[in-house]
């Protein structure tokens, strides 16, 4: 008998490296319509040592990567266990965990999210649903973005759902199917430059706002090959490290000017995607707190109604949706859309330990 209520924890670690997001969620399904309630939630920051390893994992050999995977699985398992104990959570149906993306090369048929080893179930003493991207890549898909099915199921009242995290990505309905893709880097670049001032991030976009746009850099960014490609398409940290940062570093301008120019680039690319569209745009993710970036997006989308949700949904939307992906996997229902990833077919992805 299929359940109608699910008591789960969603776990997400994004490319912006601000920590592990955990959200205790109850899902209910009635007459085919899903609803949710977010209870306790928290973000657990990484140590400086772990941030360094996660940043540099892209360059590790297979032996060091394997060691990092074990270390990270142990860390993640302990973080989840402490969250359960601290909040006195019981009778869980599952912990639904994304892990942390180290390598994402769908063009080479490969993606790696560490922290998804079977041992995580033993450490947490819970049923764990994880490793959602691998199957899609094997089916010829991008393995990303995976959030759009959650947008479709939980946020259908909005015309477009935009997430501003390490990267920006968007999802919407087109010709009766869900379309979604990555737009550009966001916090992976802005945080990199904020770090040079000894800051974790650019608070409210104040540093970016104080800079000037380099028209030449702005134009060169917008002509990069990725932006001309049709969707489905997705981005990994490789794109930032191999293309974006070398390009920015090639310009002898101040860090403030680089951040100002890149902020305009982010907003411009979002505007390019939605320039002919009107309706309601839901924005979530850490970039929502960058007031200057939001102002620039509004400037590029004068006909769009921009909606920023409640605090828990802003911060924990991805954890919420990966929790839903896990629940759908438990029900053996579709949780990845081929219209979004480019895979051969819709499918129910993830591993259950």
């Amino acid at each position: 008998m299929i359940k109608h209520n699910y008591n789960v924890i969603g776990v997400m670690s994004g490319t912006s490296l601000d920590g592990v997001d955990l959200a205790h969620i109850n899902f209910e399904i009635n007459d085919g319509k899903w609803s949710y309630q977010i209870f306790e939630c928290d973000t657990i920051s990484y140590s400086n040592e772990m941030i360094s390893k996660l940043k540099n994992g892209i360059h590790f050999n297979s032996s060091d990567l394997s060691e990092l995977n074990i270390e990270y699985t142990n860390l993640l398992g302990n973080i989840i266990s402490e969250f359960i104990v601290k909040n006195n959570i019981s009778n869980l149906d599952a912990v639904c965990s994304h892990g942390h993306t180290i390598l994402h090369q769908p063009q080479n048929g490969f993606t790696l999210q560490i922290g998804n080893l079977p041992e995580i179930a033993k450490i947490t003493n819970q049923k764990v649903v994880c490793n959602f991207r691998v199957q899609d890549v094997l089916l010829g898909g991008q393995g990303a973005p995976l959030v759009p099915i959650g947008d479709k199921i939980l946020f259908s009242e909005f015309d477009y759902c935009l997430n501003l995290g390490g990267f920006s990505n968007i999802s919407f309905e087109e010709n009766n199917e869900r379309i979604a893709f990555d737009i550009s880097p966001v916090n992976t670049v802005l945080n990199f430059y904020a770090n040079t001032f000894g800051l974790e991030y650019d608070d409210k976009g104040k540093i970016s706002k104080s800079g000037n746009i380099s028209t030449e850099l702005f134009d060169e960014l917008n002509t990069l090959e990725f932006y001309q490609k049709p969707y489905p398409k997705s981005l990994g940290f490789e794109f930032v490290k191999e293309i974006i940062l070398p390009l920015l570093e090639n310009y002898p301008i101040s860090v403030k000017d680089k951040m100002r120019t890149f902020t305009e680039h982010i907003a411009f690319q979002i505007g390019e995607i939605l320039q002919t569209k009107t309706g309601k745009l839901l924005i979530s993710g850490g970039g929502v707190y960058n007031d200057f970036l939001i102002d620039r997006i509004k400037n590029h989308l004068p006909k769009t109604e921009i909606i920023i949700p409640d605090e828990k949904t802003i911060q924990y939307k991805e954890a919420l949706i990966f929790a839903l992906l896990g629940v759908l996997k438990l029900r053996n229902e579709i949780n990845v859309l081929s219209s979004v990833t480019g895979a051969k077919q819709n499918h129910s992805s993830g591993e259950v330990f």
Side-chain angles (χ1 to χ4, degrees):
M1 182 177 158
I2 289 187
K3 288 163 60 79
H4 293 279
N5 275 282
Y6 292 87
N7 181 36
V8 295
I9 292 172
V11 185
M12 176 68 195
S13 171
T15 45
S16 50
L17 293 173
D18 47 5
V20 179
D21 291 338
L22 305 105
H24 176 208
I25 300 153
N26 180 261
F27 288 106
E28 195 170 313
I29 181 165
N30 288 306
D31 298 324
K33 184 159 178 60
W34 288 91
S35 60
Y36 71 91
Q37 190 173 358
I38 302 177
F39 299 118
E40 306 87 5
C41 36
D42 204 353
T43 299
I44 308 300
S45 299
Y46 292 121
S47 66
N48 289 335
E49 184 189 359
M50 182 53 72
I51 288 172
S52 176
K53 287 179 180 179
L54 295 177
K55 273 184 179 174
N56 295 309
I58 192 172
H59 303 302
F60 284 12
N61 61 36
S62 56
S63 171
D64 289 343
L65 259 184
S66 178
E67 199 175 303
L68 177 60
N69 200 349
I70 293 166
E71 182 184 357
Y72 187 78
T73 298
N74 288 330
L75 172 69
L76 198 54
N78 288 323
I79 286 172
I80 294 164
S81 297
E82 286 167 17
F83 179 76
I84 291 169
V85 171
K86 178 186 169 187
N87 295 293
N88 200 22
I89 300 168
S90 56
N91 301 317
L92 282 168
D93 291 296
V95 172
C96 312
S97 178
H98 171 269
H100 185 85
T101 300
I102 292 289
L103 299 169
H104 184 64
Q105 300 167 3
Q107 71 279 10
N108 300 322
F110 185 74
T111 186
L112 172 66
Q113 286 69 46
I114 60 172
N116 289 329
L117 297 174
E119 285 74 16
I120 195 167
K122 293 175 190 165
I123 297 166
T124 59
N125 199 28
Q126 300 290 338
K127 181 182 284 187
V128 176
V129 191
C130 60
N131 226 12
F132 295 102
R133 298 189 189 273
V134 174
Q135 180 174 295
D136 189 75
V137 171
L138 293 175
L139 286 169
Q142 291 279 312
L146 299 187
V147 166
I149 189 148
D151 292 339
K152 182 182 176 77
I153 291 172
L154 301 177
F155 300 100
S156 58
E157 70 268 33
F158 301 101
D159 299 288
Y160 319 101
C161 293
L162 174 70
N163 181 66
L164 299 173
F167 299 88
S168 56
N169 47 65
I170 195 159
S171 84
F172 51 88
E173 293 291 312
E174 188 170 87
N175 301 323
N176 295 318
E177 63 178 12
R178 199 76 186 180
I179 298 297
F181 49 93
D182 287 345
I183 301 175
S184 81
V186 181
N187 292 333
T188 42
V189 172
L190 297 180
N191 289 359
F192 172 84
Y193 283 110
N195 293 167
T196 66
F197 292 101
L199 303 167
E200 286 183 37
Y201 56 90
D202 181 10
D203 183 35
K204 297 182 180 177
K206 290 172 190 167
I207 301 172
S208 302
K209 190 175 182 178
S210 69
N212 297 303
I213 293 177
S214 160
T215 328
E216 193 183 343
L217 173 58
F218 180 71
D219 290 342
E220 191 171 353
L221 283 165
N222 290 324
T223 54
L224 288 172
E225 185 189 354
F226 178 81
Y227 302 119
Q228 324 310 322
K229 285 182 181 176
Y231 50 77
K233 55 183 178 175
S234 64
L235 288 166
F237 195 62
E238 294 94 326
F239 179 72
V240 173
K241 213 150 196 176
E242 293 164 15
I243 295 173
I244 297 290
L245 292 180
L247 173 56
L248 289 164
E249 289 302 285
N250 203 33
Y251 276 77
I253 59 176
S254 72
V255 171
K256 290 180 180 180
D257 290 353
K258 288 174 185 175
M259 292 175 75
R260 173 68 183 92
T261 306
F262 201 79
T263 298
E264 196 67 28
H265 167 68
I266 294 163
F268 174 80
Q269 287 299 327
I270 292 165
E272 284 291 282
I273 300 302
L274 295 175
Q275 61 179 331
T276 60
K277 299 175 171 69
T278 56
K280 292 182 179 179
L281 171 66
L282 178 75
I283 306 184
S284 59
V288 161
Y289 300 109
N290 185 325
D291 294 348
F292 182 59
L293 174 58
I294 296 296
D295 283 346
R296 297 314 303 150
I297 292 170
K298 286 178 178 175
N299 180 263
H300 285 277
L301 294 173
K303 295 177 182 173
T304 304
E305 184 185 349
I306 289 176
I307 293 146
I308 292 170
D310 64 275
E311 195 73 13
K312 281 184 178 178
T313 305
I314 291 171
Q315 292 194 48
Y316 298 99
K317 181 168 174 265
E318 286 190 295
L320 164 71
I321 291 180
F322 277 99
L324 176 65
L325 261 66
V327 168
L328 292 172
K329 175 65 180 177
L330 293 176
R331 292 167 63 89
N332 202 29
E333 293 179 5
I334 287 165
N335 63 3
V336 180
L337 301 170
S338 60
S339 63
V340 166
T341 67
K344 292 172 189 168
Q345 68 217 36
N346 293 337
H347 53 99
S348 187
S349 190
E351 293 183 276
V352 182
F353 298 130

